[in-house]
Amino acid sequence: MRQILCCFFILGLSYLSFSQKVSGIVTDSDGKPIPFASVYLKGTTKGTNANNEGKYFLELDPGQYTLVCQHINYRMEEKVIVCGVNDIVVNFKLVVQEVILDDVTVTNTTKREDPAYEIIRNTIKKRTYHLGQMDKFQCEVYTKGQLKVRSYPKRLFGRKVNLEDGDTSKQKMLYLSETIAKYSVNKPQKVKIEVISTRVSGQSDAYGLSAPNIYSFYENNVSIGTRLNPRGFISPISDNALNYYKYKYEGEFEEGGRQILKIKVTPRRKYEPLFTGYINIVENEWRIYSVDLFLTKESQMEFIDSLKIEQLYRPVKGDVWAISSQVIYPSANILGFDAHGSFINIYSNFDIEPQFDKKFFTPTILKYTDSSNKKDAVYWDTTRPVPLMSDEISDYKRKDSLEKDPRHRDSITRADNKVNMFGALLFEQTMVTKSRRMSFTFRPLSEQFSFNCVEGLVINTGAIWTNRFDSSANGKRRSISLAPNLRYGFSNKHFNAHLTFTYRWGRNNPSVITLSGGKRIFQFNNNSPIGPRGNTISSLLGEKNRLKIYEAWYVRGSY
């Protein structure tokens, strides 16, 4: 009888702790899916986002909940649900937010000035206050990034383009990754990212995107990667924003008992680092409710053609609001590659009063937990907050199976080892073995032959031999590299040679030891800013030598 009672007790506990799956689809009034809509439990930070197809799911314990669904430019919808034993389906149909042009409660407005300017002034006054509310926090972040191509060239620099996915179609998934991480911040400089799990489609040993950064528009300058613009982009609510932007009051709407003011933002001048789009402000609280802004080439953006950013905020505790989701849509056309993508960050389980001990923050900013990239499909299916789309599911299946196929690996190796003269002239070439553990890398021919006024014609050749010793049993990563270099100047008749040895090991905290020594040519500027190709052209065509060099014996070591 005791055993029977124990069994009933265990079963009872299992029933009480068993989670039910709440799933559904978010559509507009025409039945079209709304991508990346936010779905969460009212009064909490627990929630998720729909995927590009509008599908979402949540794991909830038995009980009664109020489920809230919202998206920028759509009216929020709430539904009371009861979770029991069985999974339930809850669909949302959002209608476009009706914006009402009405009087706004602002002061000191002139008769001819648009009400938006006073709204922005009030928001600017409280900018530092709202920025300071998130000086210290900890949260969990789910990141999913995908990059697709609409078209790409058959050949690039004389070499056949091979995307290594076994698919010859023009439109395809170029990159897909997911990451779940714990994000800890203690401003101004203390940041720690602990990656719990990560994966990359078709690359079992790779690590996905681990960038949970919040692009805060409460900052005067919004930095979205140094490659897009090293100086960053001016926020529409920065201290000097009125000198750069024009504003237009588009109307207001009610959401959760608050009046939300919709402001249209446009740059005053072209070719300045400025946003275009909409920013929604909470009336009287003068905080950001959501943003829908984009950048183009006219925004002094480099590398890509356009970038759209959407953010949605919601209350966390008291008058503190935190970002719940951030979606970035980049688009670029580079060298015939027409690519576009979406990178979504979902922030949950915010702790705005975390207790960090003195040793919590270290020089290590990014840390991967053990076996973070070894999680199986079952783990991801039960952990990810955003359902995969159909093309993402098929991309994982196809690329993961191709990676395990030795015939495919051999064909990729043969393709990688093909060398054409045009590519060898401008780009370094890498030859790999069938196991892909050993490789030889050669510098481009245009860098092996050069000219300067000290050495005359120069032959500077060398290679890098690398051998990996990865262990699948314990996940350790180790590699050894040897890089010999030989250099001879035909005018000064000097021969120089040096050798560099590199040893890499570790996984969670990778370490590198480098030893180098011999006789070589150095630039007086240790950063070596002058390249051999550029100096050869300026010397032979412009009769201007820019290279300032000296010769020395040396030994160097680093860890």
Side-chain angles (χ1 to χ4, degrees):
M1 178 62 69
R2 181 180 300 174
Q3 287 83 354
I4 296 175
L5 289 174
C6 287
C7 288
F8 275 110
F9 182 72
I10 294 171
L11 287 172
L13 289 179
S14 300
Y15 171 75
L16 290 174
S17 62
F18 187 71
S19 297
Q20 274 65 52
K21 183 177 180 180
V22 180
S23 61
I25 185 170
V26 183
T27 61
D28 60 17
S29 54
D30 295 327
K32 297 180 180 179
I34 300 176
F36 302 126
S38 177
V39 182
Y40 64 95
L41 302 183
K42 188 175 183 179
T44 72
T45 60
K46 180 178 176 61
T48 183
N49 279 60
N51 62 16
N52 294 50
E53 298 170 339
K55 297 177 181 178
Y56 79 94
F57 72 84
L58 276 170
E59 297 283 350
L60 298 176
D61 294 330
Q64 181 173 306
Y65 303 92
T66 299
L67 213 56
V68 181
C69 182
Q70 63 179 140
H71 191 275
I72 298 173
N73 300 325
Y74 290 89
R75 187 187 304 166
M76 179 191 294
E77 185 178 358
E78 296 183 2
K79 287 188 178 183
V80 178
I81 63 171
V82 177
C83 291
V85 180
N86 300 320
D87 296 342
I88 60 175
V89 176
V90 181
N91 295 325
F92 289 93
K93 181 174 286 188
L94 304 184
V95 297
V96 176
Q97 185 66 254
E98 293 184 4
V99 180
I100 303 173
L101 280 171
D102 202 353
D103 293 333
V104 187
T105 309
V106 294
T107 58
N108 298 327
T109 57
T110 62
K111 292 182 179 180
R112 295 184 179 181
E113 186 181 61
D114 193 287
Y117 286 88
E118 186 66 14
I119 297 170
I120 293 298
R121 288 191 189 98
N122 289 331
T123 306
I124 292 174
K125 289 177 184 178
K126 297 203 69 175
R127 180 189 67 81
T128 55
Y129 172 75
H130 292 136
L131 178 64
Q133 286 184 319
M134 298 301 291
D135 277 350
K136 184 179 180 181
F137 68 88
Q138 188 175 68
C139 68
E140 290 183 6
V141 187
Y142 168 78
T143 302
K144 185 179 74 172
Q146 60 155 264
L147 190 64
K148 297 180 179 179
V149 289
R150 288 179 281 243
S151 180
Y152 62 94
K154 292 183 178 180
R155 305 186 74 86
L156 183 65
F157 300 120
R159 187 170 184 176
K160 185 178 180 181
V161 175
N162 182 11
L163 299 181
E164 303 183 0
D165 58 359
D167 183 8
T168 58
S169 61
K170 284 289 185 180
Q171 299 188 25
K172 65 176 67 183
M173 189 82 70
L174 198 62
Y175 177 83
L176 174 63
S177 77
E178 297 176 275
T179 297
I180 297 175
K182 182 178 288 186
Y183 186 33
S184 305
V185 174
N186 191 1
K187 293 182 179 179
Q189 294 179 334
K190 295 179 179 178
V191 175
K192 186 175 183 178
I193 303 168
E194 298 173 275
V195 176
I196 301 169
S197 51
T198 181
R199 71 185 300 197
V200 179
S201 179
Q203 301 178 51
S204 58
D205 290 333
Y207 294 90
L209 298 170
S210 307
N213 294 347
I214 298 172
Y215 301 126
S216 176
F217 286 86
Y218 290 118
E219 299 277 0
N220 281 321
N221 241 33
V222 184
S223 179
I224 310 178
T226 55
R227 293 196 66 181
L228 297 186
N229 189 322
R231 297 184 302 164
F233 303 91
I234 301 172
S235 169
I237 59 169
S238 67
D239 290 338
N240 298 317
L242 295 174
N243 296 327
Y244 295 96
Y245 288 100
K246 293 187 292 185
Y247 304 94
K248 182 181 179 182
Y249 172 65
E250 294 278 305
E252 64 181 73
F253 57 91
E254 184 178 340
E255 203 84 297
R258 294 179 173 88
Q259 292 301 117
I260 312 300
L261 311 175
K262 187 173 184 178
I263 309 297
K264 185 177 181 180
V265 178
T266 54
R268 287 187 178 274
R269 295 168 293 275
K270 292 183 178 180
Y271 306 109
E272 291 189 346
L274 304 172
F275 295 91
T276 302
Y278 295 90
I279 182 169
N280 294 329
I281 305 296
V282 182
E283 188 177 19
N284 296 325
E285 298 180 32
W286 311 119
R287 68 169 76 247
I288 298 175
Y289 178 78
S290 64
V291 300
D292 184 6
L293 300 168
F294 65 91
L295 300 164
T296 64
K297 287 292 188 182
E298 289 186 353
S299 309
Q300 289 189 359
M301 188 169 58
E302 303 171 3
F303 189 65
I304 64 175
D305 297 329
S306 67
L307 185 139
K308 182 180 180 182
I309 179 168
E310 295 179 352
Q311 290 182 340
L312 195 59
Y313 293 75
R314 64 170 179 256
V316 176
K317 184 179 181 181
D319 72 333
V320 179
W321 286 45
I323 188 171
S324 63
S325 64
Q326 175 179 275
V327 189
I328 296 175
Y329 302 92
S331 178
N333 195 326
I334 304 172
L335 298 174
F337 286 86
D338 185 6
H340 65 101
S342 62
F343 297 84
I344 179 171
N345 283 355
I346 298 175
Y347 306 87
S348 61
N349 299 327
F350 266 95
D351 182 0
I352 58 173
E353 298 175 346
Q355 300 300 317
F356 300 124
D357 59 45
K358 293 182 179 180
K359 297 182 179 180
F360 182 81
F361 291 100
T362 65
T364 301
I365 296 175
L366 176 62
K367 180 180 180 180
Y368 294 90
T369 58
D370 291 338
S371 303
S372 58
N373 65 342
K374 301 300 179 184
K375 309 291 185 181
D376 57 20
V378 175
Y379 165 86
W380 283 102
D381 289 341
T382 56
T383 306
R384 70 166 61 88
V386 177
L388 292 177
M389 298 188 301
S390 55
D391 60 344
E392 292 172 341
I393 295 173
S394 59
D395 188 75
Y396 272 129
K397 289 181 178 179
R398 186 180 71 256
K399 289 183 180 177
D400 290 348
S401 62
L402 285 175
E403 186 186 22
K404 299 173 184 177
D405 186 351
R407 294 172 299 176
H408 178 71
R409 290 201 303 267
D410 291 344
S411 65
I412 295 301
T413 300
R414 288 193 298 269
D416 288 343
N417 289 341
K418 286 183 179 179
V419 178
N420 66 82
M421 289 305 298
F422 186 82
L425 181 66
L426 298 176
F427 305 101
E428 69 177 23
Q429 303 294 308
T430 299
M431 315 290 287
V432 297
T433 60
K434 285 187 176 182
S435 64
R436 303 185 75 84
R437 289 182 175 272
M438 187 183 299
S439 65
F440 295 89
T441 301
F442 302 92
R443 298 168 61 190
L445 294 175
S446 57
E447 290 187 2
Q448 294 188 38
F449 296 90
S450 62
F451 177 86
N452 64 73
C453 65
V454 178
E455 300 172 284
L457 177 64
V458 176
I459 296 180
N460 185 25
T461 186
I464 301 175
W465 169 82
T466 302
N467 195 10
R468 289 169 43 205
F469 303 96
D470 298 351
S471 174
S472 58
N474 53 24
K476 291 183 178 179
R477 291 169 170 259
R478 294 182 296 127
S479 68
I480 291 177
S481 297
L482 289 175
N485 185 271
L486 307 175
R487 181 178 182 125
Y488 182 76
F490 284 85
S491 291
N492 62 358
K493 295 181 170 49
H494 282 210
F495 175 76
N496 295 280
H498 65 270
L499 177 68
T500 301
F501 166 83
T502 304
Y503 177 59
R504 294 178 175 85
W505 77 96
R507 183 178 177 191
N508 297 336
N509 298 287
S511 302
V512 180
I513 284 180
T514 302
L515 298 174
S516 181
K519 187 182 178 186
R520 66 179 294 183
I521 300 296
F522 294 93
Q523 293 191 39
F524 278 97
N525 185 336
N526 288 328
N527 293 322
S528 301
I530 309 299
R533 280 184 290 200
N535 186 73
T536 299
I537 294 173
S538 64
S539 297
L540 296 179
L541 300 182
E543 298 184 355
K544 182 177 182 181
N545 180 76
R546 298 184 298 151
L547 200 63
K548 307 298 185 289
I549 57 177
Y550 67 96
E551 185 181 79
W553 287 91
Y554 80 101
V555 174
R556 176 184 295 162
S558 66
Y559 167 72

